[in-house]
Amino acid sequence: MEAWMTTLLQTLSLPEYGLVTVFIVALVSATLLPLGSEPVVFGLIKLNPELFWPVIGVATLGNTLGGMVSWAMGRGAHELIDRERGHPTHLRALDWLERFGPRACLLSWLPLVGDPLCLIAGWLKFAPLACACYMAIGKFLRYLTMTGLLLWAAQGVQLPAWLLKTAG
């Protein structure tokens, strides 16, 4: 069993499979399913430091698309419930979120509240392109920060030169 797992992990860490793995895990982790993509992102970058930017980009894209899946689920749920009730649904607790509009999706990177926030953005019928842009910005900054910190904390891994200049 251990040899099989080692072979699988080595195969998935190859650049030609690793980026696909990062994309899928990042996409799924942005839905309401309890999964984290940071270990996969960190692992691939640790094994292939030259893939730093492609991994961050692919993870951001997958996580943003996963957030948009949640957005679409929220939008669909709202339309279905409105149709069944025969009138628009209004929840007072969401009034404050409506004031922020799609900008609230900048917080989609937050643990526990980020994924439901994407769903709520769809429920509130926020503009999908604006939500996707704000989600992408927040998620990119999260991956960049988390991966940078993990690389800094891990021994024997060099941070990219630009990151060392800004940190020092």
Side-chain angles (χ1 to χ4, degrees):
M1 177 73 167
E2 190 174 313
W4 176 84
M5 184 62 88
T6 302
T7 303
L8 176 65
L9 291 175
Q10 286 173 341
T11 302
L12 292 177
S13 71
L14 295 173
E16 59 267 22
Y17 300 114
L19 290 175
V20 173
T21 303
V22 165
F23 178 83
I24 291 169
V25 170
L27 186 137
V28 171
S29 72
T31 64
L32 298 177
L33 297 174
L35 181 66
S37 56
E38 287 81 3
V40 176
V41 170
F42 172 70
L44 184 60
I45 290 174
K46 185 167 167 100
L47 292 171
N48 302 288
E50 70 280 359
L51 291 178
F52 183 85
W53 287 112
V55 171
I56 296 295
V58 166
T60 299
L61 178 64
N63 213 247
T64 301
L65 290 175
M68 290 307 295
V69 167
S70 293
W71 180 94
M73 289 169 50
R75 174 83 183 241
H78 192 168
E79 291 176 2
L80 179 67
I81 290 171
D82 283 354
R83 194 172 348 144
E84 291 298 317
R85 292 177 81 192
H87 58 85
T89 303
H90 182 77
L91 302 172
R92 287 184 58 204
L94 300 178
D95 286 344
W96 71 270
L97 190 58
E98 286 182 312
R99 283 185 288 155
F100 293 104
R103 290 186 313 259
C105 291
L106 275 171
L107 302 176
S108 66
W109 64 271
L110 288 170
L112 302 176
V113 298
D115 297 336
L117 180 65
C118 297
L119 188 97
I120 292 168
W123 176 275
L124 293 173
K125 301 179 182 177
F126 290 164
L129 184 58
C131 287
C133 289
Y134 284 115
M135 278 183 220
I137 292 167
K139 290 169 183 289
F140 172 77
L141 293 174
R142 178 196 68 199
Y143 281 118
L144 188 61
T145 302
M146 291 298 295
T147 305
L149 289 173
L150 287 171
L151 288 172
W152 177 73
Q155 294 179 346
V157 178
Q158 293 295 321
L159 288 173
W162 66 269
L163 193 56
L164 289 173
K165 288 179 187 174
T166 58

